[in-house]
Amino acid sequence: MAGVMQWLSVASRRSLVLSRTAEWNASGTLKTVPLLTRGAHVETSSARIEKLVPNEYDGPLVKTEVPGPKTKELIKELDAVNKNAATVQSFVDYDKCLGNYMVDVDGNRLLDTFAQISSIPIGYNHPAIIDVMKDPANLSLLVNRPALGVFPSGSFPSTLANVLLSVAPKGLSRVQTMMCGTCSNENAVKQALMWYRGKKRGGPPTQEELESCVIGKEPGCPPYTVLSFKGSFHGRTLGCLTLTHSKPIFRLDIPSMDWPYASFPRMKYPLEDFEAENRAEEDRCLKEVVEQMEKGLATGRDVAAMIIEPIQAEGGDNHASPYFFHQLQKICKQFGSVFIVDEVQTGCCTTGHFWAYESWNLPEAPDMVVFSKKMQAGGYYFKDEFAVDGPSRVFNTWMGDPPKLMLLGAVLDIIKRDNLITVARESGQVLLDGLKSLQDKYPDLLSRARGMGTFAAIDCKDPDTMGKVSRIVKNKGVFMGTCGTQSIRFRPSLVFQPHHVDIALDALDSTLADISVQ
Ligand code: PSZ
């Protein structure tokens, strides 16, 4: 009964959100909110919904089993070429995708709450992005990819300043572009290590250092380390793998650096019922961090930097409180280490803040903030004092991709124009309320509903149930991601509105009902 009451209150709160949306846009047209699937059960909402992406579809449409026959055929074809196609979920007809809807080659139209592993900022084929690509004035930048370290275009400095620095974390006045999240982390960490060594050395490198470093020996290659956290994901290159501790598949068979790690808090939910336990859990983890820092100093293996995700994403959507991050920043300051925050997945508004770390209200920003995914361009912001101390210390052929910055410029305009941070907050609230109601309704199947903005997740009873949920819900027209060992996660784009949340929750509800009777 309690569950039903909560569900009703969610529904009424949801209609409040919708009617407010209608108020904002008097010219909004009446739209239906269909409840998907073969056989077409269609629900109609009386609310007037303004679609943030013009002409977006009204709902999912499932024509075949998902994955369908064409997708299965193409998986075989791809696998014959690369022998690595086992992860492919759908082949996509990108011409037909729009807004929150992904259309596959079998003609199935799925509401996409995963948005290409959390990397689509304003939906598929948003007109603002299409316009940038169609503009003939941008053509030469699109077809000539520069080696940015040596031959950038004349517009590059102003693009960095106007686009990337316009959303820079407060106090981080410098930015370095890169090509993906992993290589951004890799170079941010390298830059932090160089800074730390330079600070310790206090002058130019010695001849002995120059000679020893090229064969990977001390003193040129110092035994300094970077601390990371259990459950983390920072990328899959040789360097970043040492910092990644989520799943065996990432690290199996790869030699690794002997660098320290500490536990990341494992919070109990609902948070308000477990305040004391959760604080004790965070203190336990902080103690491990301090022990590692002290051990490093005592053994000459200084912890030069620490890297952490605001919410551990791949590792299972693990959250910690602002207190935890405040303490980490303090510890880094105390030990003279660089505090690096990996916002590759949390950045760009999805949590209801432009950068997730803003929710912690730190006395000052982290020393470095890494981005990619929804930002379209990869890279990292850093405080002036962490700048490289000479040419070619952070360098490669492309060092980024200027057209991605043009896209980001258009994305940021839309984020502002359509107030998408507020949309992420509102949709996030509806989503979390709905997940909590489902958890009350299916207590044997679901637990630990959690989220910040639309960056949300819920745990399934076991890994097998997670697999079932993701498979069945897809066949009801909604694509949902997974993370950790048994979580369903939501990573929609920023144009994911409350009426999309309704569709996703209805599909999840009906999926859980199916599983309950199995
Ligand atoms: O399996 C994989 O390699 C995956 S699945 C999702 C990711 C990687 N996420 C990428 C990611 C991230 O979530 C965080 C917090 N930091 C770094 C990365 C690496 O970014 P990419 O994949 O762009 O190199």
Side-chain angles (χ1 to χ4, degrees):
M1 187 59 190
V4 174
M5 291 308 290
Q6 209 171 334
W7 185 251
L8 285 175
S9 73
V10 168
S12 51
R13 193 162 336 143
R14 199 176 305 158
S15 64
L16 269 181
V17 174
L18 292 176
S19 56
R20 189 139 38 98
T21 309
E23 250 171 58
W24 286 340
N25 182 15
S27 63
T29 46
L30 179 67
K31 295 298 172 197
T32 56
V33 182
L35 188 75
L36 48 126
T37 76
R38 276 160 271 174
H41 169 160
V42 176
E43 263 186 5
T44 308
S45 161
S46 57
R48 286 145 61 89
I49 296 165
E50 178 208 7
K51 289 180 174 179
L52 287 168
V53 178
N55 304 318
E56 192 187 39
Y57 303 104
D58 286 336
L61 179 69
V62 178
K63 292 182 174 170
T64 71
E65 194 192 341
V66 186
K70 280 193 190 151
T71 286
K72 284 184 184 153
E73 227 11 79
L74 282 164
I75 288 176
K76 275 193 214 143
E77 201 180 313
L78 179 62
D79 205 59
V81 180
N82 71 4
K83 290 285 160 204
N84 193 20
T87 51
V88 172
Q89 304 228 11
S90 291
F91 280 86
V92 177
D93 185 345
Y94 283 100
D95 286 338
K96 299 207 175 84
C97 298
L98 188 61
N100 293 279
Y101 291 92
M102 179 170 89
V103 179
D104 70 18
V105 290
D106 292 285
N108 301 304
R109 185 202 304 148
L110 272 67
L111 177 67
D112 188 358
T113 71
F114 196 45
Q116 308 284 329
I117 323 184
S118 195
S119 69
I120 301 193
I122 54 174
Y124 292 100
N125 286 316
H126 194 289
I129 290 184
I130 301 281
D131 286 350
V132 174
M133 288 294 141
K134 273 190 179 160
D135 186 347
N138 292 332
L139 194 59
S140 67
L141 280 177
L142 289 174
V143 298
N144 299 290
R145 187 166 187 183
L148 279 174
V150 274
F151 301 112
S153 78
S155 60
F156 188 56
S158 61
T159 305
L160 283 189
N162 297 337
V163 178
L164 274 178
L165 290 185
S166 77
V167 289
K170 210 161 172 251
L172 274 61
S173 52
R174 311 289 174 218
V175 68
Q176 174 65 60
T177 55
M178 278 292 153
M179 289 155 304
C180 64
T182 306
C183 65
S184 302
N185 276 331
E186 183 95 17
N187 284 282
V189 163
K190 277 175 61 185
Q191 196 164 316
L193 284 162
M194 289 173 197
W195 171 83
Y196 190 88
R197 181 60 164 173
K199 180 180 70 160
K200 283 262 159 160
R201 184 167 48 218
T206 62
Q207 194 55 33
E208 194 193 359
E209 283 179 300
L210 293 173
E211 281 164 16
S212 57
C213 77
V214 287
I215 50 167
K217 300 278 188 244
E218 290 184 43
C221 295
Y224 297 157
T225 68
V226 178
L227 182 134
S228 50
F229 289 83
K230 285 186 204 166
S232 60
F233 187 95
H234 299 292
R236 296 207 198 203
T237 51
L238 272 176
C240 284
L241 267 186
T242 291
L243 306 167
T244 288
H245 307 276
S246 23
K247 291 186 193 144
I249 188 81
F250 300 144
R251 293 190 67 166
L252 185 67
D253 300 335
I254 313 293
S256 194
M257 283 173 279
D258 181 17
W259 284 359
Y261 55 87
S263 298
F264 191 94
R266 182 79 179 160
M267 305 296 247
K268 283 194 179 156
Y269 291 84
L271 293 177
E272 55 281 12
D273 293 352
F274 294 99
E275 262 177 43
E277 284 94 330
N278 287 335
R279 175 58 69 94
E281 167 67 355
E282 293 191 317
D283 283 338
R284 179 186 73 84
C285 300
L286 289 166
K287 192 162 161 266
E288 285 185 23
V289 173
V290 173
E291 278 166 10
Q292 291 295 353
M293 303 293 254
E294 283 171 346
K295 191 170 147 203
L297 273 190
T299 55
R301 293 167 43 81
D302 305 21
V303 177
M306 170 191 298
I307 185 164
I308 191 159
E309 295 156 84
I311 301 166
Q312 284 191 333
E314 297 314 302
D317 273 39
N318 305 320
H319 293 242
S321 77
Y323 160 80
F324 182 69
F325 294 101
H326 275 247
Q327 297 307 312
L328 289 181
Q329 185 176 48
K330 269 195 206 153
I331 294 168
C332 282
K333 283 211 175 294
Q334 186 189 334
F335 285 87
S337 310
V338 186
F339 183 40
I340 306 175
V341 174
D342 176 353
E343 293 247 19
V344 165
Q345 194 155 160
T346 49
C348 200
C349 307
T350 168
T351 64
H353 303 268
F354 197 98
W355 302 109
Y357 88 81
E358 290 165 10
S359 67
W360 308 333
N361 281 317
L362 295 174
E364 61 180 271
D367 298 322
M368 295 185 172
V369 171
V370 186
F371 57 88
S372 192
K373 294 218 189 235
K374 284 191 169 56
M375 291 286 280
Q376 303 299 283
Y380 51 99
Y381 295 101
F382 53 97
K383 291 177 181 162
D384 198 34
E385 65 195 274
F386 299 105
V388 287
D389 61 359
S392 195
R393 300 220 71 192
V394 165
F395 190 92
N396 77 339
T397 305
W398 284 328
M399 297 176 82
D401 190 15
K404 301 295 178 209
L405 292 175
M406 291 171 5
L407 290 185
L408 177 61
V411 165
L412 294 177
D413 287 345
I414 296 299
I415 287 175
K416 267 188 228 140
R417 188 195 75 185
D418 293 347
N419 208 356
L420 296 185
I421 294 192
T422 307
V423 174
R425 283 187 189 182
E426 291 189 347
S427 296
Q429 191 60 57
V430 178
L431 178 58
L432 190 56
D433 287 345
L435 289 176
K436 284 180 179 165
S437 301
L438 287 178
Q439 171 179 288
D440 288 345
K441 191 170 170 187
Y442 302 98
D444 296 340
L445 293 176
L446 296 180
S447 63
R448 301 180 81 238
R450 55 205 183 274
M452 194 179 184
T454 53
F455 198 107
I458 192 158
D459 280 11
C460 297
K461 184 178 72 165
D462 50 32
D464 183 49
T465 308
M466 173 190 79
K468 270 189 200 157
V469 168
S470 119
R471 201 170 49 250
I472 297 174
V473 85
K474 192 157 55 175
N475 278 279
K476 292 178 186 284
V478 182
F479 190 80
M480 289 181 189
T482 57
C483 63
T485 52
Q486 58 206 65
S487 307
I488 295 290
R489 65 168 148 172
F490 296 84
R491 294 292 188 277
S493 82
L494 303 172
V495 294
F496 193 67
Q497 296 174 260
H499 67 277
H500 299 114
V501 179
D502 284 343
I503 296 173
L505 290 174
D506 284 346
L508 188 54
D509 190 358
S510 127
T511 297
L512 293 161
D514 289 357
I515 292 176
S516 306
V517 296
Q518 272 175 13

